[in-house]
Amino acid sequence: MAKQQVSHYATCACLSDKHQFPAFLRTIPSDQHQAAALARMVKYFGWTWIGAVRSDSDYGNNGMASFLKAAQEEGICVEYSESYYRTQPRSKLERVANVIRRSTARVIVAFLATGDMNILLQELARQPPPPLQWIGSENWISHSEFLRFNMCAGAIGFGVPRSVIPGLREYLLDLSPAQALKSPLLTEFWESSFSCSLKGSSEGARECDGSEDIRALQNPYTDTSQLRITNMVYKATYAIAHAIHGVICNDTYCNSTIKFTPWQQAGACIGPGIHWSGQDHLEVLDFADDIPLLAEDEEKLQIVTTDLDSEPNKVALRISSKKQKVMHVNTTGKTRGL
């Protein structure tokens, strides 16, 4: 039986196939949405002659396939579509770079993983092409390391939103030498940050004396201003925790000895989401990409409709009642207004 998986970073649209990946969930959107949004953005700016480059992986190939389909529907012409993966021969990298240099398209959509994008830019920097307008996928577009490449100035794309995790910074800054010593990873962090040794764990270094001030550090550990993927991890962790709590606990008692299947956990994890029985039988589908709301009876349908309507109301938006459709499947009777 497959184990339940909740990913914080896997965006490939291929993972939405519930026949292949029945136990897979995620807290980050599918690339199907990003690809469509990128095509619309390109069309919005009037860029109808573009180049395309992708990682030669499931992430890049599936993402670019979705983008090219959306681009065609938007009337966008693609001069070339090249792929590269960082373990491929250097000759492949040089060929892709030369295609970009010789092309007439000055706008390029790059559906690349961070590592592949970095290698490609280094190669292009050896013999810079004419100025390019880069359109980036979420994997690299928000990484500050690409600011060192002048050709990336003005690059645009859709990144994972910055978020605030309540209490995280305070928790990180509450680290003491005694706590750091309990973990090899934190011990290494403390010693490298303050150039001292915790209880003689590093030969030749001065011993940490407690005067080290972690709040004075300026490094990625203390920087909580760019919590993007970190927040997806946070959501995934809490999704699993709440799912398990929902299975083993009631209003008054939690029974930690209860045995449950991944499917039970999946149902609790999604809440009013996708409930699967076995691997290919769909019982309830409440929220999906196109937002169909399915329920076993009208009372439950009213509940999920009200829940869905409450979210856009927070930003002064409403669901259009004129665009709602109700369908009965294997049922009888009239439908009251929702």
Side-chain angles (χ1 to χ4, degrees), residues 112-125:
L112 289 155
T114 303
D116 299 333
M117 184 65 179
N118 187 47
I119 294 174
L120 176 60
L121 290 175
Q122 289 184 44
E123 176 60 28
L124 288 171

Side-chain angles (χ1 to χ4, degrees), residues 121 163 193 200 249 257 261 335:
L121 290 175
S163 305
S193 296
C249 298
T257 64
T261 68
T335 302

Side-chain angles (χ1 to χ4, degrees), residues 168-176 214-216 221-222:
L168 177 61
R169 179 172 171 77
E170 291 73 20
Y171 174 81
L172 294 175
L173 295 180
D174 194 40
L175 182 66
S176 67
I214 195 171
R215 294 178 179 273
Y221 177 85
T222 59

Side-chain angles (χ1 to χ4, degrees), residues 69-191:
K69 180 180 178 181
Q72 184 178 28
E73 293 172 353
E74 295 288 351
I76 298 167
C77 297
V78 180
E79 181 183 5
Y80 62 86
S81 179
E82 295 292 333
S83 65
Y84 172 73
Y85 192 71
R86 52 190 171 274
T87 59
Q88 291 176 345
R90 178 168 180 78
S91 57
K92 177 69 178 293
L93 173 64
E94 292 174 344
R95 191 186 70 78
V96 173
N98 286 331
V99 168
I100 294 173
R101 292 187 182 106
R102 290 195 298 263
S103 73
T104 58
R106 299 274 61 86
V107 177
I108 178 170
V109 174
F111 223 106
L112 289 155
T114 303
D116 299 333
M117 184 65 179
N118 187 47
I119 294 174
L120 176 60
L121 290 175
Q122 289 184 44
E123 176 60 28
L124 288 171
R126 292 162 57 90
Q127 187 180 341
L132 294 170
Q133 173 61 59
W134 290 92
I135 311 294
S137 60
E138 98 297 337
N139 204 288
W140 68 269
I141 193 63
S142 60
H143 280 253
S144 58
E145 67 180 273
F146 292 105
L147 295 175
R148 64 191 176 94
F149 295 100
N150 292 333
M151 71 180 76
C152 282
I156 56 177
F158 297 99
V160 177
R162 287 189 299 178
S163 305
V164 175
I165 299 179
L168 177 61
R169 179 172 171 77
E170 291 73 20
Y171 174 81
L172 294 175
L173 295 180
D174 194 40
L175 182 66
S176 67
Q179 292 171 318
L181 197 57
K182 295 177 182 179
S183 164
L185 181 63
L186 291 176
T187 296
E188 181 180 355
F189 160 72
W190 191 277
E191 292 180 339

Side-chain angles (χ1 to χ4, degrees), residues 187-188 190-199 201-202 205-210 212:
T187 296
E188 181 180 355
W190 191 277
E191 292 180 339
S192 63
S193 296
F194 298 110
S195 300
C196 64
S197 172
L198 285 170
K199 298 199 173 181
S201 57
S202 297
R206 70 173 182 85
E207 187 170 342
C208 302
D209 58 12
E212 300 81 27

Side-chain angles (χ1 to χ4, degrees), residues 275-290:
H275 294 199
W276 291 86
S277 176
Q279 294 193 13
D280 56 7
H281 176 65
L282 182 63
E283 291 181 338
V284 178
L285 172 59
D286 291 333
F287 297 110
D289 292 350
D290 295 326

